[in-house]
Amino acid sequence: MTAVIEKERKNKVKGVIRAAVSIVKSPETTTLNQLQVLCLDLFALLYCDLLLRSTSVTWIARTYKKRVCTTFVEDSFSNGALCQCGRARDAHSSVALGDYFSTAIVNRWDSAQHSSEYPTDAFGEVQFAEASKRHSHFLRLSRDTEPSQVYYLMTTHWRLPIPNLVVSVVGGERRMKVKSWVREVLRQGLVKAAQRAGAWIFTTGLAEGVGRCVGEAVRDHATAASSDSLNKVVAVGIAPWGIVHNKEQLVNPKGSYPAKYYIQDPFRDSCCLDNKYQSFLLVDDGREGCRGGEMAFRTKLEDYISHQRTGISGSGTIDIPVLCMLISGDISSLEQMDLSLKNSVPWLVLAGSGGLADFLTDLLENVSTAPVFQPTAEGDGEPGPSVDLKEKIAERVKKHFPAESESDKLVERALRIYQCRDLISIYHGEQESPTDFDTVLLKALVGASKQRVTAEASPYNEELKLAVAWNRVDIAKSELFNGDIQWKYEDLEESMSDVLINNKPQFVQLFTENGLNITKYLTYGRLEQLYRSVPDSTLLYQLLQRRLVVRLGTATTVPAASSEPKSPVETLEENFQSEPTTDITLFEARVLDLLLGDTCQPFYFDVLGISDISFKRKAIKHVCRLLRENRSYQEKRCLYPWASLFIWAVLQNRTEMATFFWEMAGESVLTALSGCKMLRELSKLESETEIKLSMKDLAQTFENLAHDIFSSCYHSDESRSFDLLIRKSPVWGSTTCLQMGMGADARLFFSQDGVQIWWGDMQRDTAVWKLLLTFFCPLLCYTNFISFRENDNQQEEEGRSSDEDLSPDADNHYGTTIFSFSDIKHMICFFVDTGFPEPFRPPRRPFIVSRWRQFWFAPVTAFLGNVLMYFLFLVLYTYVLLLDFKDPPPVGLAGSEYVLYFWVFTMVCEEIREAFFSGMMTLRQMLRVYIQDVWNKLDLLAITLFIAGLICRMFEWSYEYGRELLCVDFMVFTLRLIHIFAIHKELGPKIIIVGKMVKDIFFFLFFLAVWIMAYGVANQALLYRHDPNFDRIFRRVFYRPYLHIYGQIPVEEVDVKQVWDVECTENLTLVEEGAEQCRNPSGNWLVVILLMVYLLVTNILLINLLIAMFSNTFTEVQANSESYWKFQRYNLIVQYHSRPSLAPPFIILSHINLFIRRKIRKVPSVKDANRLMTWETIQKEDFLTAQNKIQKSSDSERLKRMSVKMDSIAKHMTENRDLDQRLRALENEMENCSNALRWIVDTLAQGGAFKPPRPPPTFRDAVPSSSSSS
């Protein structure tokens, strides 16, 4: 329950922050609903805090304990004043002091026997005085606390990120003076590597020794790191409760939120808590002022964490690596090291740091590695340590710890540690550079893990998993993927899931480049696993859960996006009642219907076998039956793996991952437009402002990519680019680039010339008067009067394609290349038995036929023909209404009316074709797409009014109503002419301006209605005491104040001092009968004042407000007038591209032809293309190559490369300096050896004990110096 409250509180905090930021940034656009939601979120946040505090007190006190001494064991050195636990006699309870029997027989105090557990009284948050306002978590807990409970508290309740590495720093306690190079290793090495890997660092957390240095290094890196950095270093202090100074300030049985903690001298080492740490675990073993009480618990916690998985919700492929790092240290650290090595936890010893670290360095590097085992004396065959090894270790112990009394125990521990030397690495930090410390950590962990690797496993798998867990693609490239290792698919398969789930796109690219076959990897079962791994804080998770609720038929508490905001109490109670189900399948991928349903067919329905089922309930029953069985579809390979991964990444708003998948997927233009549409639809559902803005930015990025790629294609081959626009994609549900671009509202994409296929096969500079003249003289199209585009590569392409078609290995899945716009428009395909469309190329037509089709099938020709015929239709309609509108039957109808009704009938047929024969979508999708167009709504209104007027016109009793309806309908048909203005560059944007101004008027009318209502009611009540005539009241309350705005002010009626030429009466009886009541003179002065105020507000304030709104709208649209115009003109292109060339009423001939082809001959209308995939991919690669060149030549990239080179030079200089120091040391050693040998020779020569066979060698006078030798 606490976890649910924490999750709800986290979501509310984000919502409150983002809502407040949005209101502060744009207060003028803040709505009442936003303020209401903000208030509800604030109330929910307060409610969550109250629940957390009330539940955490009971939960923490019930789960975590403290230890209190319950037996007073006298300390012999204190004359009975102190107990061996460290506390005074008075600090013990009466029960502890009264146990005389136990006191008498016990000589040594033991925590397990002489202390008891009680509910903890120190937990919550601590705020350090005179420090940052950031609060740190703390908990006092018993040494016997289960580490699983502590880890759950840290990751769930304290919300610490799951680590990719845990480094436990041991040693350097007390007020030890830390060497300068050790500080540099901690700052430049450890903490920097921990930040890259996303690690936790364990120390004592006290402001002394190494713990203080680690805290300062963490603070410096946290200050230098960017606020949006994914990896944060988490410093955790694990200290004994008994040695913490001022710990009384932390004690509060009800919890501290926060506790004020004061440090006496923050600039001196002390046992106070360090304010640079994020959390503190204060281990209580019942003792006071004694160190080492946390050792056993810390070892257990490290061992438990080492068995947990990395990644989001433990989705990683490797257990969390734990490494202990020894800096200096004393004898007590040796015991901790012994305990950790028993759990196979690797250690890194910092050589040269002093104390125990130097002892272990000497032991592991200088003691012989001869066999260290011999048979034991009992002859049981078990190995035992050799006597020689023990002696060597004993010598080292006496050398480094001469004052140690219990040397035998120390030797035994050192021997056990030596036997585990494979888990220990030595790091000479004083001689090596700390910049590559992360590589040192990696090698230390890999070296230790190789002891546990089986013979079948690859020896590099563990190193790869560590690099993946730390997200260190640079290490992977330099150490693992440098060409020396031949990676197999099985080696990368498990890690691929890790990098996908945990959003590591660079590793995805690295794996695909080094042996991972994505087609073999991505099955439908794995795709379902990817959707199950979606974090529960994302919008996609909520959408999947809603679809899951529909399938399961259960009332899982997932709030609808469009529902009214609920109270926080109701929301929390709903969340407590049930937990969301995670059995996500491909059926839940129906969320794509919400995002792409208007433009393409459903995804994955063919895999589930429900593509032919139109009823929703029947489809759900079929899916449930399939899921209850064997789920055999999960073993099938995904047909389009890169597109499926692209959708998965886009739905989670992962920018880099989605961009990489776009690069790998085919159909780059359509894929980019699909990503743009999905993101813009998701941004409408997202409530968090920051995420919504990032979705819009990514959507704009994909629209820019689609624009740039298609522009490159258009400049490369104009004919193929036309083909690319209308090709139906099997990957994206048989949709086209044009349809997807319309759904995505990709104005930038449509603003380029290549998409504006308005002129068909005619030249773009063709004059309109030439087209009109050719209308009336069609033979001109066979002359050079109108210029047509010449397809220079037509014959070449045709010959090449025919040769390829003859080849048995030719790929015939994508049809043939389209050469003409008229062929594009009327290309047909036949389906073969394989399920793929086998293309049919129209035969080579004669010049007369082809040129006729090129002229009449162009969208501009169809548009002009429809405009001319529409003007004739309006002329006919006007003639019928004004001159030839006969009486209703049986008198009869005029012939012109029959023509008019037939004309409208052909329009109705065209609207039916446009709505229900637009593609292979479902009926619901087709209706939704049709209704979305504003002009289609206007057509529906016009046709509905016409049909209603026609029916009423046929009957005598409703004849006048029918005539009135037809008159009003004529206005609607005439307003439909505005649509043709979209073709004009100047008038087109004005249509957008008018539409936006109409929306502005609605807001203006709201304010105006408030003032009209206020003034009108008050004015009527003041002027007339009683007026029962409702019609008169309505006119005076609403109509008359409205006319005041335009200057029509009847002063004689409002001002009683003016003469009013209207007969009135005060007789109430006559007033009830309808007579005019006389005005009331008592409050007339107030009426005049109200009139002045009303005119001031409406005529000056509100009217100028409306003008300002109109000006802003005009400026906004005019600034992007060309893009608006091209996008609007594209609507006409889409409409007339799919529209028959004949205009109403002759369009009925095209409808009859369409009916015969579709219903009788069963010829599907599929506009397909050929070999576009390869060509489009080549254009995309050329574009990306050019972009990479531009990026590499930018100043920022040059600075980065220069910085890398400078770092490499500095590294080499450091190595050379270290090498120079080593050479000088070697020269000194050689000089000493030479002097020693000279002394030996001289001694032997003077002794005369034996005579050498030859004289001694002569020595040089001087040893060459380092400078001369170099």
Side-chain angles (χ1 to χ4, degrees):
M1 181 175 177
T2 306
V4 177
I5 301 176
E6 282 285 347
K7 177 182 173 182
E8 190 68 22
R9 180 181 181 274
K10 182 178 180 181
N11 293 334
K12 294 302 179 184
V13 168
K14 288 183 178 180
V16 168
I17 293 175
R18 288 180 172 85
V21 170
S22 176
I23 292 174
V24 170
K25 287 184 177 180
S26 56
E28 66 280 355
T29 60
T30 303
T31 62
L32 185 61
N33 188 29
Q34 289 178 329
L35 294 175
Q36 180 185 4
V37 172
L38 178 60
C39 294
L40 286 175
D41 287 342
L42 285 172
F43 178 66
L45 183 59
L46 295 174
Y47 182 75
C48 289
D49 286 337
L50 290 175
L51 281 180
L52 277 176
R53 295 192 182 187
S54 60
T55 55
S56 62
V57 170
T58 56
W59 173 70
I60 292 180
R62 185 174 61 251
T63 306
Y64 304 97
K65 309 295 181 181
K66 66 177 181 179
R67 277 200 170 271
V68 178
C69 178
T70 56
T71 303
F72 183 83
V73 179
E74 182 180 333
D75 186 5
S76 58
F77 298 99
S78 63
N79 297 325
L82 297 176
C83 175
Q84 291 186 15
C85 71
R87 290 186 177 87
R89 178 183 292 270
D90 298 339
H92 287 72
S93 63
S94 58
V95 177
L97 296 175
D99 193 0
Y100 298 107
F101 178 76
S102 299
T103 303
I105 64 176
V106 172
N107 294 325
R108 185 175 181 84
W109 189 89
D110 182 75
S111 175
Q113 297 179 6
H114 304 131
S115 64
S116 301
E117 292 184 345
Y118 295 91
T120 183
D121 58 357
F123 60 90
E125 299 176 354
V126 57
Q127 180 181 6
F128 294 90
E130 300 179 359
S132 63
K133 296 182 179 180
R134 180 181 58 84
H135 296 176
S136 301
H137 302 281
F138 74 97
L139 172 67
R140 176 185 182 183
L141 69 162
S142 171
R143 56 174 291 180
D144 298 326
T145 305
E146 289 296 328
S148 59
Q149 298 176 350
V150 178
Y151 185 74
Y152 172 80
L153 174 76
M154 298 170 71
T155 56
T156 304
H157 191 71
W158 291 353
R159 299 188 296 276
L160 298 182
I162 295 178
N164 297 321
L165 170 68
V166 174
V167 179
S168 181
V169 180
V170 180
E173 300 176 3
R174 306 181 190 274
R175 300 182 180 180
M176 185 197 78
K177 185 177 181 181
V178 182
K179 299 179 181 180
S180 59
W181 66 268
V182 174
R183 292 176 180 269
E184 195 67 17
V185 168
L186 293 176
R187 189 174 65 86
Q188 293 292 340
L190 174 62
V191 177
K192 191 173 182 180
Q195 183 190 18
R196 293 177 179 176
W200 287 2
I201 299 180
F202 288 170
T203 69
T204 58
L206 302 178
E208 62 174 9
V210 173
R212 186 187 186 96
C213 297
V214 171
E216 292 174 352
V218 170
R219 177 200 59 194
D220 295 341
H221 276 273
T223 304
S226 59
S227 59
D228 57 347
S229 178
L230 295 178
N231 293 334
K232 304 291 185 181
V233 181
V234 178
V236 180
I238 305 178
W241 168 261
I243 68 170
V244 177
H245 287 184
N246 302 329
K247 55 181 175 290
E248 296 81 8
Q249 302 172 7
L250 306 176
V251 175
N252 185 355
K254 296 182 179 180
S256 303
Y257 297 96
K260 298 291 185 178
Y261 188 80
Y262 296 91
I263 303 176
Q264 297 176 352
D265 190 355
F267 301 102
R268 296 183 59 183
D269 287 355
S270 64
C271 290
C272 296
L273 299 181
D274 195 342
N275 57 10
K276 289 91 174 177
Y277 285 72
Q278 281 84 350
S279 55
F280 298 93
L281 298 175
L282 307 178
V283 183
D284 190 2
D285 63 345
R287 295 187 297 173
E288 182 77 18
C290 301
R291 296 179 181 269
E294 84 289 356
M295 188 182 304
F297 169 79
R298 182 171 175 176
T299 304
K300 290 191 299 181
L301 180 61
E302 294 165 358
D303 180 59
Y304 176 81
I305 294 177
S306 66
H307 292 85
Q308 306 305 307
R309 287 279 179 168
T310 58
I312 301 174
S313 301
S315 59
T317 59
I318 188 176
D319 293 337
I320 299 175
V322 177
L323 177 70
C324 295
M325 182 177 179
L326 179 63
I327 301 177
S328 184
D330 51 14
I331 301 301
S332 61
S333 302
L334 195 65
E335 179 182 357
Q336 184 175 354
M337 188 175 188
D338 187 19
L339 293 174
S340 296
L341 290 174
K342 289 179 181 179
N343 298 326
S344 300
V345 176
W347 279 71
L348 179 66
V349 178
L350 188 59
S353 58
L356 183 62
D358 291 348
F359 164 71
L360 292 175
T361 302
D362 185 17
L363 177 65
L364 298 175
E365 290 186 346
N366 298 328
V367 174
S368 173
T369 58
V372 297
F373 298 106
Q374 66 177 10
T376 55
E378 288 79 358
D380 55 1
E382 294 182 0
S386 65
V387 178
D388 183 56
L389 179 61
K390 278 189 175 182
E391 292 178 354
K392 291 181 179 180
I393 293 176
E395 291 179 1
R396 263 66 181 185
V397 169
K398 292 180 180 178
K399 175 182 177 183
H400 291 274
F401 306 103
E404 181 62 31
S405 58
E406 299 179 352
S407 58
D408 294 338
K409 293 183 178 181
L410 188 59
V411 170
E412 293 295 331
R413 286 178 180 169
L415 183 59
R416 288 195 296 268
I417 291 173
Y418 184 82
Q419 292 171 359
C420 300
R421 63 186 180 278
D422 293 331
L423 297 174
I424 304 174
S425 301
I426 306 297
Y427 174 64
H428 297 272
E430 190 174 9
Q431 301 175 4
E432 300 180 17
S433 173
T435 56
D436 297 331
F437 193 77
D438 45 6
T439 308
V440 175
L441 296 179
L442 181 65
K443 292 181 178 179
L445 292 169
V446 170
S449 62
K450 286 182 179 179
Q451 309 302 321
R452 303 187 295 268
V453 175
T454 60
E456 295 81 6
S458 173
Y460 303 101
N461 273 349
E462 197 71 18
E463 189 171 357
L464 174 62
K465 291 178 180 179
L466 285 172
V468 168
W470 299 356
N471 199 18
R472 295 303 307 276
V473 69
D474 52 342
I475 294 179
K477 287 182 178 179
S478 60
E479 302 290 338
L480 303 175
F481 294 93
N482 51 10
D484 298 336
I485 305 172
Q486 296 297 326
W487 290 96
K488 300 179 181 179
Y489 168 78
E490 293 77 10
D491 299 333
L492 304 176
E493 181 180 8
E494 186 179 7
S495 297
M496 184 66 173
S497 300
D498 186 0
V499 298
L500 284 174
I501 294 173
N502 294 290
N503 193 20
K504 299 173 181 177
Q506 293 179 336
F507 273 102
V508 177
Q509 181 177 0
L510 189 65
F511 290 169
T512 54
E513 293 173 353
N514 291 273
L516 188 133
N517 187 353
I518 193 65
T519 306
K520 183 179 179 181
Y521 167 79
L522 192 65
T523 60
Y524 289 111
R526 273 212 175 91
L527 187 60
E528 289 181 346
Q529 293 177 2
L530 293 178
Y531 278 102
R532 293 191 193 105
S533 66
V534 174
D536 55 2
S537 60
T538 60
L539 174 63
L540 175 60
Y541 178 83
Q542 299 177 12
L543 297 177
L544 291 173
Q545 288 296 320
R546 291 171 194 164
R547 296 300 182 273
L548 183 60
V549 167
V550 174
R551 176 168 64 86
L552 298 179
T554 57
T556 305
T557 58
V558 181
S562 59
S563 61
E564 294 295 328
K566 298 181 180 180
S567 66
V569 181
E570 295 176 353
T571 304
L572 289 175
E573 289 178 353
E574 289 178 358
N575 290 339
F576 298 154
Q577 290 173 2
S578 61
E579 290 294 330
T581 312
T582 58
D583 187 20
I584 303 297
T585 63
L586 289 180
F587 185 74
E588 279 64 58
R590 288 173 55 244
V591 297
L592 294 174
D593 297 347
L594 180 65
L595 308 176
L596 297 174
D598 296 340
T599 54
C600 58
Q601 299 176 12
F603 284 77
Y604 309 122
F605 275 27
D606 54 341
V607 181
L608 299 173
I610 58 176
S611 56
D612 298 330
I613 302 177
S614 57
F615 296 100
K616 182 177 179 181
R617 290 191 175 183
K618 188 176 180 181
I620 293 177
K621 290 181 179 179
H622 177 83
V623 171
C624 293
R625 184 168 57 254
L626 177 65
L627 297 178
R628 284 195 300 267
E629 295 172 357
N630 53 2
R631 299 192 181 189
S632 58
Y633 70 91
Q634 293 182 343
E635 302 300 326
K636 297 180 181 179
R637 295 182 181 179
C638 190
L639 191 58
Y640 307 107
W642 290 117
S644 299
L645 290 175
F646 173 78
I647 294 173
W648 174 77
V650 165
L651 292 178
Q652 297 184 82
N653 194 27
R654 295 182 173 181
T655 303
E656 294 184 19
M657 191 84 78
T659 304
F660 172 71
F661 290 150
W662 171 80
E663 294 177 1
M664 299 301 295
E667 305 181 1
S668 54
V669 176
L670 181 55
T671 303
L673 291 174
S674 302
C676 177
K677 176 171 174 55
M678 286 187 289
L679 287 165
R680 283 177 177 165
E681 294 295 333
L682 283 172
S683 65
K684 298 176 183 177
L685 303 175
E686 181 60 55
S687 58
E688 297 188 7
T689 307
E690 184 178 350
I691 299 178
K692 179 182 293 187
L693 292 177
S694 65
M695 287 180 176
K696 291 181 179 180
D697 292 341
L698 184 56
Q700 189 61 46
T701 300
F702 281 124
E703 184 180 353
N704 294 337
L705 290 173
H707 173 275
D708 296 338
I709 296 297
F710 184 79
S711 178
S712 177
C713 294
Y714 178 72
H715 290 99
S716 174
D717 193 325
E718 189 173 343
S719 299
R720 282 184 172 179
S721 63
F722 290 157
D723 191 2
L724 184 66
L725 286 176
I726 62 168
R727 174 185 173 274
K728 288 191 174 182
S729 168
V731 181
W732 293 99
S734 300
T735 190
T736 65
C737 291
L738 297 181
Q739 294 172 344
M740 190 64 73
M742 279 294 297
D745 193 22
R747 299 179 184 271
L748 178 64
F749 178 73
F750 291 122
S751 65
Q752 53 187 334
D753 295 334
V755 184
Q756 303 290 321
I757 51 177
W758 179 245
W759 293 96
D761 291 329
M762 291 182 287
Q763 293 290 347
R764 296 176 181 273
D765 56 353
T766 303
V768 177
W769 66 269
K770 292 184 178 182
L771 292 177
L772 295 176
L773 187 59
T774 310
F775 262 87
F776 299 100
C777 186
L779 295 179
L780 291 176
C781 67
Y782 297 106
T783 65
N784 293 328
F785 186 69
I786 295 179
S787 302
F788 291 86
R789 287 188 297 107
E790 296 294 336
N791 298 291
D792 298 333
N793 58 344
Q794 178 173 345
Q795 299 295 336
E796 179 184 353
E797 284 287 337
E798 186 176 14
R800 185 175 60 189
S801 61
S802 62
D803 295 339
E804 292 178 358
D805 291 341
L806 293 175
S807 174
D809 299 330
D811 184 7
N812 293 326
H813 293 343
Y814 289 97
T816 54
T817 305
I818 299 172
F819 303 104
S820 168
F821 186 84
S822 59
D823 291 337
I824 290 176
K825 193 170 182 180
H826 289 272
M827 185 177 183
I828 59 176
C829 295
F830 298 97
F831 287 93
V832 295
D833 296 335
T834 57
F836 290 97
E838 183 178 357
F840 170 74
R841 180 192 302 276
R844 183 78 175 174
R845 298 185 178 91
F847 172 76
I848 297 177
V849 178
S850 62
R851 181 54 58 90
W852 181 270
R853 294 171 61 88
Q854 285 178 334
F855 176 76
W856 290 104
F857 288 165
V860 62
T861 309
F863 170 75
L864 291 177
N866 277 271
V867 169
L868 291 175
M869 297 306 297
Y870 197 79
F871 273 109
L872 292 178
F873 166 74
L874 292 179
V875 171
L876 177 63
Y877 202 158
T878 305
Y879 175 78
V880 170
L881 285 179
L882 299 180
L883 302 175
D884 205 11
F885 200 80
K886 304 296 184 181
D887 293 334
V891 176
L893 302 177
S896 58
E897 282 193 72
Y898 285 109
V899 175
L900 177 65
Y901 298 154
F902 177 74
W903 204 316
V904 175
F905 171 74
T906 60
M907 291 182 176
V908 174
C909 293
E910 173 58 22
E911 294 301 322
I912 293 175
R913 183 205 64 81
E914 185 178 349
F916 299 102
F917 296 92
S918 58
M920 300 177 65
M921 297 184 292
T922 63
L923 179 62
R924 182 180 178 183
Q925 290 175 331
M926 289 187 292
L927 285 175
R928 190 187 306 164
V929 172
Y930 180 79
I931 293 297
Q932 284 180 350
D933 193 336
V934 177
W935 301 110
N936 288 338
K937 296 177 183 178
L938 196 63
D939 291 337
L940 283 178
L941 176 62
I943 293 172
T944 304
L945 289 176
F946 191 89
I947 295 175
L950 176 61
I951 294 174
C952 294
R953 183 250 185 283
M954 294 299 174
F955 303 98
E956 186 175 357
W957 62 271
S958 59
Y959 173 79
E960 292 298 332
Y961 294 109
R963 181 179 175 83
E964 293 170 0
L965 286 175
L966 290 175
C967 292
V968 174
D969 191 42
F970 177 79
M971 292 182 60
V972 178
F973 274 114
T974 307
L975 290 176
R976 187 66 171 80
L977 277 175
I978 299 177
H979 189 36
I980 70 173
F981 295 154
I983 199 63
H984 196 271
K985 189 173 183 179
E986 296 296 332
L987 296 178
K990 303 302 184 291
I991 300 177
I992 303 294
I993 294 174
V994 171
K996 290 182 176 292
M997 286 182 176
V998 170
K999 296 180 181 180
D1000 294 338
I1001 286 179
F1002 281 107
F1003 293 104
F1004 169 77
L1005 290 178
F1006 172 76
F1007 292 106
L1008 183 62
V1010 172
W1011 279 97
I1012 288 178
M1013 173 71 75
Y1015 169 75
V1017 173
N1019 182 71
Q1020 175 68 14
L1022 289 172
L1023 284 176
Y1024 304 98
R1025 293 188 178 92
H1026 177 70
D1027 190 355
N1029 193 325
F1030 181 78
D1031 180 68
R1032 205 156 47 207
I1033 291 176
F1034 180 81
R1035 289 175 179 271
R1036 290 173 177 174
V1037 170
F1038 295 101
Y1039 183 60
R1040 187 171 62 185
Y1042 177 73
L1043 293 179
H1044 288 353
I1045 302 176
Y1046 304 100
Q1048 296 185 16
I1049 304 174
V1051 180
E1052 64 279 359
E1053 183 179 354
V1054 176
D1055 191 355
V1056 295
K1057 294 184 179 181
Q1058 300 290 333
V1059 178
W1060 190 28
D1061 297 334
V1062 175
E1063 295 183 1
C1064 61
T1065 180
E1066 295 290 345
N1067 191 337
L1068 294 180
T1069 303
L1070 297 177
V1071 171
E1072 291 288 344
E1073 294 176 356
E1076 179 73 28
Q1077 186 182 22
C1078 293
R1079 296 170 294 175
N1080 180 20
S1082 62
N1084 190 251
W1085 62 273
L1086 188 56
V1087 172
V1088 175
I1089 295 177
L1090 290 179
L1091 177 62
M1092 294 169 56
V1093 174
Y1094 173 73
L1095 293 177
L1096 178 66
V1097 173
T1098 55
N1099 286 23
I1100 297 179
L1101 181 61
L1102 293 183
I1103 295 299
N1104 282 279
L1105 174 63
L1106 182 62
I1107 294 173
M1109 294 169 64
F1110 284 171
S1111 300
N1112 181 60
T1113 301
F1114 181 85
T1115 305
E1116 178 184 350
V1117 176
Q1118 195 68 23
N1120 304 297
S1121 60
E1122 185 164 353
S1123 63
Y1124 275 106
W1125 167 67
K1126 288 186 176 181
F1127 181 77
Q1128 195 175 34
R1129 190 176 75 161
Y1130 171 74
N1131 292 328
L1132 287 176
I1133 293 174
V1134 172
Q1135 179 181 352
Y1136 288 100
H1137 167 261
S1138 60
R1139 193 179 185 128
S1141 301
L1142 297 176
F1146 307 108
I1147 199 173
I1148 192 67
L1149 301 176
S1150 299
H1151 292 160
I1152 295 174
N1153 180 38
L1154 180 66
F1155 179 79
I1156 294 174
R1157 288 171 51 197
R1158 296 284 183 89
K1159 302 301 179 182
I1160 299 178
R1161 297 178 59 192
K1162 303 294 184 182
V1163 178
S1165 176
V1166 180
K1167 299 165 186 168
D1168 212 335
N1170 178 41
R1171 284 178 286 276
L1172 289 177
M1173 295 281 290
T1174 304
W1175 175 70
E1176 185 184 8
T1177 303
I1178 292 174
Q1179 300 301 320
K1180 177 183 66 176
E1181 291 175 353
D1182 292 343
F1183 169 76
L1184 293 177
T1185 302
Q1187 290 295 110
N1188 289 333
K1189 288 182 179 179
I1190 294 174
Q1191 184 178 3
K1192 288 181 180 179
S1193 61
S1194 62
D1195 295 338
S1196 59
E1197 289 296 323
R1198 290 180 179 177
L1199 289 175
K1200 287 181 181 179
R1201 291 196 299 269
M1202 186 179 298
S1203 176
V1204 171
K1205 291 180 181 179
M1206 292 300 296
D1207 291 341
S1208 178
I1209 293 174
K1211 181 179 178 181
H1212 286 303
M1213 292 181 64
T1214 304
E1215 292 177 354
N1216 292 335
R1217 185 167 57 251
D1218 296 340
L1219 183 60
D1220 186 49
Q1221 293 177 356
R1222 292 182 182 182
L1223 287 175
R1224 289 181 181 179
L1226 182 60
E1227 290 173 357
N1228 293 332
E1229 292 293 332
M1230 290 295 297
E1231 185 176 359
N1232 293 333
C1233 291
S1234 300
N1235 293 332
L1237 289 175
R1238 183 182 300 173
W1239 178 81
I1240 293 173
V1241 170
D1242 292 341
T1243 303
L1244 292 176
Q1246 294 176 3
F1250 65 93
K1251 294 181 178 180
R1254 57 185 179 86
T1258 58
F1259 291 91
R1260 296 180 181 179
D1261 295 336
V1263 179
S1265 63
S1266 61
S1267 61
S1268 62
S1269 63
S1270 59

